[in-house]
Amino acid sequence: MQPDLRLMQMNAGDTGALLRLQTEVLEAVACGTGLAAVADLLCRRAEALAPGVICSILTVDADGLLHPLAAPSLPQSYSSAIDRLQMGPKAGSCGTAAFRREPVVVCDIDTDPLWEDFRHLTQPLGLRACWSSPILDQDGQPVATFAFYYRTSRAPDDMERSIVQTCVHLCAIAIENDQVRERNHRLAYFDALTGLPNRGHFNGLLATSIARKERFGLLLVDIDHLKAVNDTVGHGFGDMLIRTIAERIAGSDPRLTACRLGGDEFAVLVADCRDAMDLGKAATAMLAAVRGPIKAGDQTLDPHITVGGALFGDDGADGASLCQNADFALYHAKEMRRGGYVRFSPDLRTSMLERVRMVRNLDQAMLEGRILPYYQPVVRLDTSEIIGVEALARMRMPDGRIAEASEFHAGLSDPRIAYQMTGQMLDQVARDVRAWLDLGMDFQHVGINVTTGDFQRGDLEQRIVDAFARTGVPLKHVVLEVNEAVYMSGIDQMVPKAVGALRQHGLLVALDDFGTGFASLTHLLSFPVDIIKIDRSFVNRLGDDRAGDVLVGAIIDIARKLDMRVVAEGIETPAQAALLDAFGCTLGQGYLFSRPASFEETTGLLRLFAQKRDPAAVQPRRSA
């Protein structure tokens, strides 16, 4: 029967009452009244139109479980008893209607098999019949049920059918409107990838905590090497990494409210955080919770985060200062304790301001062409002949003074600055090497240092090849110097793969600062290395520390057996040079031979002390 025909069967008063019901409910929906309140209103108005009827609305979740939404005339005990009822082919009137996606009329609950498992709930209440209609979404999936209970065994009459038809329609509108509002709310306040509160929501939570004058802490979190993961194994893997870390952070401590600010950044509010020790415990628990391999297909990654923290009150009395100081701590942690935690202290602000100042100075210096390479000779220890040089960045100050790298090192922690400086150094070094070759000198090779940022951009190979191709310098004259910290920043063998590609062009590779940290010996098994450069900290202890002598001797012996050459750095005394020579170390560099010098000064040194070409003695043999 068509809806308009059923309405025609009702008298004018009933029709007007339904129209008033419809208007009242739609106005409530339009005014933003909550779904539970709208459902309660709908039930009360329906019961008023059909005296003796008891109305109930249940929602159906994605797992097919039913939950009471409104039932103003039913006792709470009944609603609680049917909460989380699973829809199915024999689940009372409502559970069966949701399962079948069609109305179910049970005229006698006491005898109908659909109620066999539930009539013990209705009999004490005097409920004898139940008619339930499913409410379907646009895809035809059940989202709710609308039911009439009766205290007599009977079927619905025509008037009740018209009421239910109208109520089901209104209920569907209210539910759809609520879902839209919920989706909009989540889009506005929650991160779509992780489900965590987003930046806007975080700002609100922070403001609320401050307004309440609560004791709390703020932890800012960066995912280590996310860009490298995206670049090497794809954004899908990167998204999974973000989601997994978000889940682990949120689950690490019940006091934590984790928010995703965007990209690889999270902010975590630590409730009831009394002091710095309490904040540190929360950070430590979070760091531990994040660890553990993540697998996707044949890819495995061990995730790490870096954390900076600040305590409300002690480290900032308002949201802006608290966030800024936590950010200072995070920056310092990324520089000094990657994969660890640092709490804010006032001196970190000074360091940050110094970094900003240095970045600005370096920007200006590169714009004005005041970044230039200085060269320190690499010599044969037995003859003091120069067999190569290492290029080191220097900055000419506005007053003409040459500043060493230690004076502007803070600025190089900025990836953009480091990347641009590498580009300028490559171009200038290539021109200098071309000049030495054109002068007919016995120049053999130049060492060039690269940063983590150079590898992360993914274009290091092309940059080096292009820079030296423009001047016609073969890459056999280049030694790529990669220190252990840069190597360890590689994700999924990113650095070794890039280095391996460069070696195919004839370029040599040196593992710089060898022995200063990490698992250096394991690097030799996987990292394509031609030269090992022993760090100056080992050389400084030669002759004064038996353990130092043993370690240096062992490194030299291992390198020789692996068919690699060794360069000892930081040689300052003849005794150190003699001892290294006795250990079998052929090459070295340090102030004993020469400080880093300008192109002109280095040209003079090469004229006087460059070793005559002897490829067998000069160039390190390649390892397998």
Side-chain angles (χ1 to χ4, degrees), residues 504-564:
Q504 298 301 313
H505 294 280
L507 174 147
L508 303 174
V509 177
L511 185 57
D512 201 8
D513 300 331
F514 185 83
T516 56
F518 310 111
S520 299
L521 291 178
T522 64
H523 294 177
L524 301 182
L525 299 176
S526 58
F527 194 60
V529 174
D530 302 296
I531 304 166
I532 292 175
K533 301 193 77 172
I534 301 176
D535 186 71
R536 65 182 66 248
S537 61
F538 286 93
V539 175
N540 288 340
R541 298 169 65 176
L542 285 175
D544 299 325
D545 185 339
R546 181 176 179 277
D549 293 356
V550 171
L551 285 174
V552 171
I555 292 171
I556 294 169
D557 186 53
I558 290 171
R560 181 169 56 249
K561 290 178 179 178
L562 291 176
D563 201 24
M564 301 174 186

Side-chain angles (χ1 to χ4, degrees), residues 351-407:
S351 299
M352 177 64 76
L353 294 176
E354 172 62 18
R355 172 181 177 267
V356 171
R357 183 185 69 81
M358 193 52 65
V359 166
R360 186 168 56 247
N361 290 346
L362 285 170
D363 251 337
Q364 188 65 28
M366 286 191 287
L367 184 65
E368 297 173 357
R370 291 190 283 109
I371 299 299
L372 62 157
Y374 264 43
Y375 300 96
Q376 185 172 41
V378 177
V379 305
R380 283 188 62 97
L381 296 181
D382 54 351
T383 66
S384 296
E385 294 173 295
I386 298 174
I387 64 97
V389 295
E390 178 182 356
L392 302 166
R394 295 292 185 263
M395 179 167 63
R396 181 182 292 111
M397 305 301 287
D399 61 3
R401 183 178 68 85
I402 302 299
E404 296 187 0
S406 59
E407 297 183 50

Side-chain angles (χ1 to χ4, degrees), residues 1-336:
M1 184 178 293
Q2 296 299 318
D4 56 335
L5 295 179
R6 280 197 285 267
L7 284 174
M8 290 172 62
Q9 294 174 355
M10 302 178 64
N11 60 43
D14 291 331
T15 303
L18 276 180
L19 290 175
R20 288 193 296 274
L21 166 64
Q22 179 173 291
T23 300
E24 187 176 4
V25 171
L26 290 178
E27 284 180 350
V29 171
C31 291
T33 304
L35 178 61
V38 171
D40 184 80
L41 172 66
L42 194 58
C43 286
R44 293 182 186 276
R45 296 296 180 266
E47 290 175 351
L49 289 174
V53 166
I54 297 173
C55 187
S56 167
I57 301 176
L58 306 178
T59 60
V60 183
D61 66 22
D63 296 321
L65 300 179
L66 279 65
H67 306 278
L69 178 62
S73 299
L74 287 173
Q76 182 61 45
S77 58
Y78 180 80
S79 295
S80 299
I82 62 172
D83 189 19
R84 300 186 62 80
L85 169 68
Q86 178 69 54
M87 70 178 188
K90 191 181 175 184
S93 298
C94 295
T96 307
F99 180 77
R100 294 179 182 175
R101 295 171 173 76
E102 63 183 28
V104 171
V105 178
V106 173
C107 296
D108 188 348
I109 290 176
D110 289 343
T111 60
D112 197 298
L114 296 182
W115 280 86
E116 182 178 350
D117 296 330
F118 310 104
R119 61 174 61 104
H120 67 282
L121 298 174
T122 57
Q123 287 174 341
L125 303 178
L127 304 178
R128 295 292 178 260
C130 181
W131 168 36
S132 181
S133 299
I135 301 171
L136 307 179
D137 64 15
Q138 294 180 349
D139 297 323
Q141 298 300 312
V143 293
T145 61
F146 186 93
F148 271 3
Y149 287 91
Y150 304 95
R151 296 189 183 279
T152 59
S153 299
R154 71 177 181 88
D157 60 29
D158 290 338
M159 183 189 73
E160 291 166 350
R161 291 182 185 278
S162 296
I163 294 172
V164 168
Q165 181 187 33
T166 300
C167 289
V168 166
H169 177 62
L170 292 173
C171 197
I173 291 174
I175 290 173
E176 183 178 1
N177 180 73
D178 185 72
Q179 290 174 339
V180 170
R181 289 173 58 193
E182 177 63 22
R183 282 196 296 270
N184 290 339
H185 180 267
R186 292 201 65 81
L187 288 173
Y189 293 102
F190 290 87
D191 174 58
L193 178 62
T194 64
L196 297 180
N198 61 15
R199 183 183 291 274
H201 198 169
F202 163 73
N203 290 336
L205 294 171
L206 179 63
T208 299
S209 296
I210 292 174
R212 292 174 178 171
K213 300 187 183 304
E214 299 173 350
R215 291 290 291 176
F216 69 94
L218 172 62
L219 299 173
L220 294 184
V221 180
D222 261 12
I223 299 176
D224 295 339
H225 318 306
L226 177 62
K227 183 180 185 303
V229 172
N230 287 332
D231 291 345
T232 55
V233 294
H235 286 269
F237 197 101
D239 287 349
M240 188 186 67
L241 174 65
I242 293 171
R243 283 194 301 270
T244 303
I245 287 178
E247 292 170 1
R248 293 178 179 181
I249 289 175
S252 63
D253 188 320
R255 297 181 304 158
L256 303 188
T257 300
C259 308
R260 186 186 179 207
L261 304 184
D264 59 356
E265 299 177 272
F266 294 86
V268 181
L269 295 172
V270 185
D272 194 27
C273 188
R274 300 295 176 179
D275 50 34
M277 182 177 295
D278 209 9
L279 185 64
K281 287 180 179 178
T284 300
M286 192 166 61
L287 287 163
V290 165
R291 297 191 186 102
I294 299 174
K295 294 185 178 180
D298 59 351
Q299 298 287 349
T300 301
L301 184 67
D302 187 18
H304 293 277
I305 58 174
T306 300
V307 184
L311 197 63
F312 176 61
D314 295 2
D315 303 327
D318 55 63
S321 62
L322 185 69
C323 290
Q324 184 181 65
N325 291 340
D327 194 49
F328 286 157
L330 175 60
Y331 171 77
H332 187 75
K334 288 192 291 186
E335 290 298 304
M336 307 302 296

